[in-house]
Each structure stands twice: as C-alpha cells, then as structure tokens.
Amino acid sequence: MPFEELLAEDGRVEPRDEMPDAYRRTLVRQIAQHAHSEIIGMQPEGNWISRAPSLRRKAILMAKVQDEAGHGLYLYAAAETLGVDREDLLDQLHTGRQKYSSIFNYPTLTWADVGAIGWLVDGAAIVNQVPLCRCSYGPYARAMVRVCKEESFHQRQGFEILHTLSHGTPAQKAMAQDAVDRYWWPSLMMFGPPDDDSPNSAQSMAWGIKRFSNDDLRQRFVDMTVPQAEILGLTLPDPEIRWNEERGHYDFGTVDFTELFEVIKGNGPCNAERMAHRVKAHEDGAWVREAASAYASKRSSEAVA
Amino acid sequence: MRDWPLWEVFVRSRRGLSHVHVGSLHAPDAEMALRNARDVYTRRQEGVSIWVLPSAEIVASDPGERDAFFEPAADKVYRHPTFYDVPEGVEHL
C-alpha cells in the first residue's frame, strides 16, 4: 500500500515498506537521539550507585540504570531497521554529530537528585513517550511500548525517594526541595521549544511520528505533576502556578528557552564530562568486543575443522 | 561490533504459548546472542524460553507484492463459518 494511503488510514509503516527519504531520515535522527539519551542518561544516576543510602535503594538504582541500557538497545535495534548501523550511530554521538536529551547535562549533586530525576525527568519522558507507542513507524512504536512499561517503575521509585526525604528530618526535606528546585525548569524544557518556534513539528505530526504538540505535552505534564508535588509536601519553583478554572488547566510561568538552546549548543554544566565519560567507556570496552569476536571466530573455525 | 551479525530474538512467555518476535540485537555468536537476549528482553521474567536466529537467514515475502501474494485467499469467503446460513433454532452447529 502506498505510503500516503497507509498514513491516511492510520496504518503502520514497516521496515521494508516504501517510504519517503525525508521520513526515513527524520526517524533515524529521532530514534538515534532517543537511544543516545537513554545511554547517556545512565551517567547522572550511575553517579549515585556506590553511595545509595541502603542496599535496597542500591539494588533498585542498579536495576533502573540497567533498564536505561536496555532502552538504548531497543531503540538502536529499531533505528537499524531503517538501514543504519549502530556502530555508525555511536560514532556520530561520540563526534558530536548527533545529540542526546539536554536534561542529562545537569549534574546530580545529592541523593535527592536521583529522586527528582525519577519523578520529574522520567515523568516528563513518560508524557513524551506514551504517544510514541502509536507512532506510524512500527518498530519504533513497539520499542516504546516496552520502554513505557518499564518507565513507570522508574517514576515511582523517584517519587518514593522524594516522599521519604520530604517526611524525614528538616535537612532531608531541604535536600529534596533543593533537588526539585533545580530539576523543575529543565524538566519542562524536555518537551522542546514552544509550538511557534518548533520548525519540524508540523511535518512530524503529518507523518504520524508526533501525535501532540510540545506545548500540549508540557501542559499535560504540569497538570499531572502539581497535585503530586502537594502530596510530596514540596513546592515547585514557579510562583505563577495556579489552577485556571476557565481553561481547566494549571497556568505556569514562562520557560527560559535561551537556557535550553545554550545547553543544546554544548554549554550546559556537564556536556563535556558526559561525552568524555561515554567515549572512554566505549574505548575501555574495546578489548571485550575484540575478545568476543576472536572467540567466535576461533569457535567457528574449530567447527569447520 | 561492526562485523557482528544481527540476530532476531523470539521469546516464549510461558509454556503453552508460541515464541513471539520481540526484537533484535548484535552478537558475535549464537551463545552470546542468547545471553544478551536474556539480559535485554527478559529482565522481568518475560520468558521461559528464547530462540535467536541470524537475521540474514530469514526469508520474507515482499511487501510490494503483498496484494498479489495473498490474493488467492481473498475470494474464498466460504472458508469462514459465518459464510453459511443456518436456519433458526439449530444449535451446536
């Protein structure tokens, strides 16, 4: 069935179907960036594994970081169905030609940041990702179904960390509040630039890759999060947040997108550190990949003999 | 990794059900493919059995020829029980 007809009836595009080059390129860029975000996202939280406050918290955090690696792999596998090579995508990440989500360029200064990342960053990611489960490209949509199932554990564990801190000593509560203060605005930036400044959105919507606009998703996240903050006993660092009866939504302040663009350009607090760590991890793992290849070829030559 | 073959992964979620395709991964050999598949696709007890097979070994029908390829089944509605008229009152048929 021709591509346009397929989209018109909300069908799914599969790897060997004919598709416009621009559709393919857009998907490769988006899925690769998404995959890169998952594996770079392991770093801010991995930073706290060795210092988690209890064995229970440590086991949970390790499982979560391992999930992020898994999500990266689901997504690289989905990208490869479009005819690209995972190794090339990693090269492009390592040489700065492909991006990852700018949220991971912020540091995790305290244990409470692990909670804030789970609650806010994973919460925002879920709002972004749930509609992607209905993306027009089948392999991406299927990967997102798996990712979303696993993300809900991530968000809950973050909420639980903050809830525990918030109901602990005054110092613990202050630590939780500080983490939320630092992660709130960057989390809102995760939805991307405002609709009137998002050049690719209309085309992505027409292609069924994107289902809701950046501002709609951002509003959904705010509406979901404000009541949860009240239950946590924490405040969100925006004096303009208030319920708007007329709109049926929470009003909130203006996001400073100049900060987002600066971080995307490479001027965030941790851009260089994240990249250096990623490249080093890849290079340090080279001998493992070589050994696995050598072992496989030795085994197969033995099998022939 | 560049020359590691791609493997397709199939997981049986529990006994009595068939293996279902869940995704793919790169691995140098079948043994590593199985172990990686376990770590990537069954972290939450999603499976009791895994198959991996080299993607290059899969022979697939051509999506461009779908209509012609599946056409023989298109005009044989009498293969479905709903094709038949059953008189009022007939049971267990």
Side-chain angles (χ1 to χ4, degrees):
Chain A
M1 187 184 295
F3 179 76
E4 298 296 340
E5 261 177 61
L6 204 60
L7 288 191
E9 60 183 52
D10 201 23
R12 295 291 176 266
V13 180
E14 292 296 339
R16 297 174 67 224
D17 289 338
E18 302 243 0
M19 60 186 98
D21 280 345
Y23 175 81
R24 187 185 296 272
R25 276 199 308 274
T26 299
L27 278 169
V28 168
R29 196 190 63 223
Q30 179 171 338
I31 300 173
Q33 180 170 328
H34 198 158
H36 299 330
S37 301
E38 298 285 353
I39 58 167
I40 296 286
M42 296 167 74
Q43 292 185 38
E45 295 179 291
N47 181 33
W48 280 92
I49 289 177
S50 64
R51 292 171 291 160
S54 69
L55 187 56
R56 174 179 180 271
R57 298 282 185 206
K58 186 176 197 159
I60 292 171
L61 187 55
M62 278 168 62
K64 180 175 190 289
V65 172
Q66 192 187 19
D67 272 354
E68 308 298 359
H71 296 175
L73 290 175
Y74 305 154
L75 287 160
Y76 284 122
E80 286 195 307
T81 63
L82 291 159
V84 291
D85 192 271
R86 182 169 113 201
E87 193 73 20
D88 287 334
L89 299 179
L90 284 174
D91 280 347
Q92 294 190 54
L93 170 66
H94 296 160
T95 52
R97 283 172 295 154
Q98 279 180 348
K99 304 280 186 200
Y100 55 89
S101 175
S102 58
I103 191 74
F104 301 117
N105 290 316
Y106 291 87
T108 41
L109 304 176
T110 69
W111 169 251
D113 288 8
V114 175
I117 288 181
W119 179 47
L120 295 174
V121 175
D122 290 324
I126 291 172
V127 171
N128 262 331
Q129 289 170 350
V130 165
L132 287 172
C133 297
R134 293 189 295 116
C135 164
S136 61
Y137 188 59
Y140 190 28
R142 293 192 286 275
M144 292 322 301
V145 170
R146 297 184 65 87
V147 168
C148 285
K149 272 189 199 161
E150 299 180 359
E151 287 288 351
S152 55
F153 133 60
H154 297 181
Q155 197 192 11
R156 284 189 184 195
Q157 67 88 36
F159 186 88
E160 192 200 65
I161 288 172
L162 290 179
H163 194 268
T164 304
L165 288 172
S166 169
H167 293 79
T169 65
Q172 287 170 332
K173 181 164 184 174
M175 187 195 276
Q177 184 61 58
D178 169 62
V180 169
D181 288 347
R182 280 182 290 109
Y183 271 94
W184 172 249
W185 290 106
S187 299
L188 291 188
M189 294 172 202
M190 287 174 67
F191 297 94
D195 293 347
D196 51 19
D197 189 22
S198 180
N200 303 321
S201 279
Q203 181 61 75
S204 281
M205 303 260 270
W207 276 332
I209 296 173
K210 202 173 162 61
R211 299 286 182 178
F212 300 98
S213 80
N214 293 353
D215 287 332
D216 285 351
L217 292 168
R218 191 163 14 243
Q219 180 71 61
R220 186 176 300 176
F221 175 69
V222 171
D223 289 347
M224 190 178 99
T225 309
V226 172
Q228 292 175 359
E230 285 166 14
I231 292 170
L232 284 174
L234 298 172
T235 58
L236 298 171
D238 177 358
E240 293 180 48
I241 290 180
R242 66 177 58 85
W243 179 251
N244 183 324
E245 193 68 50
E246 209 169 296
R247 292 200 308 127
H249 293 289
Y250 284 94
D251 289 338
F252 58 99
T254 310
V255 182
D256 175 14
F257 285 105
T258 52
E259 176 179 326
L260 174 67
F261 295 126
E262 277 305 303
V263 179
I264 291 174
K265 264 193 272 171
N267 302 325
C270 300
N271 295 58
E273 182 188 332
R274 297 290 183 242
M275 217 44 177
H277 187 89
R278 173 66 214 142
V279 170
K280 181 172 187 299
H282 190 69
E283 286 169 357
D284 288 352
W287 72 270
V288 179
R289 296 190 291 276
E290 283 160 21
S293 295
Y295 183 69
S297 57
K298 182 180 160 201
R299 287 277 296 264
S300 68
S301 64
E302 280 170 3
V304 172
Chain B
M1 196 169 82
R2 200 174 287 280
D3 28 320
W4 288 1
L6 189 65
W7 302 78
E8 299 300 325
V9 181
F10 299 78
V11 170
R12 183 204 291 286
S13 57
R14 58 186 166 84
R15 294 178 64 83
L17 297 180
S18 24
H19 288 74
V20 174
H21 183 243
V22 293
S24 55
L25 49 78
H26 287 279
D29 59 26
E31 197 183 330
M32 286 297 289
L34 263 184
R35 285 170 181 273
N36 291 347
R38 176 199 60 191
D39 292 344
V40 178
Y41 293 105
T42 63
R43 286 194 303 286
R44 287 174 176 76
Q45 299 179 293
E46 290 94 335
V48 294
S49 165
I50 299 177
W51 291 345
V52 291
L53 66 132
S55 309
E57 297 292 321
I58 291 181
V59 180
S61 61
D62 180 348
E65 288 175 13
R66 187 185 74 177
D67 291 347
F69 191 72
F70 293 102
E71 191 276 330
D75 60 351
K76 297 179 181 62
V77 284
Y78 44 82
R79 283 177 168 160
H80 298 277
T82 47
F83 174 76
Y84 299 90
D85 291 327
V86 178
E88 198 80 24
V90 178
E91 289 180 36
H92 309 298
L93 186 69

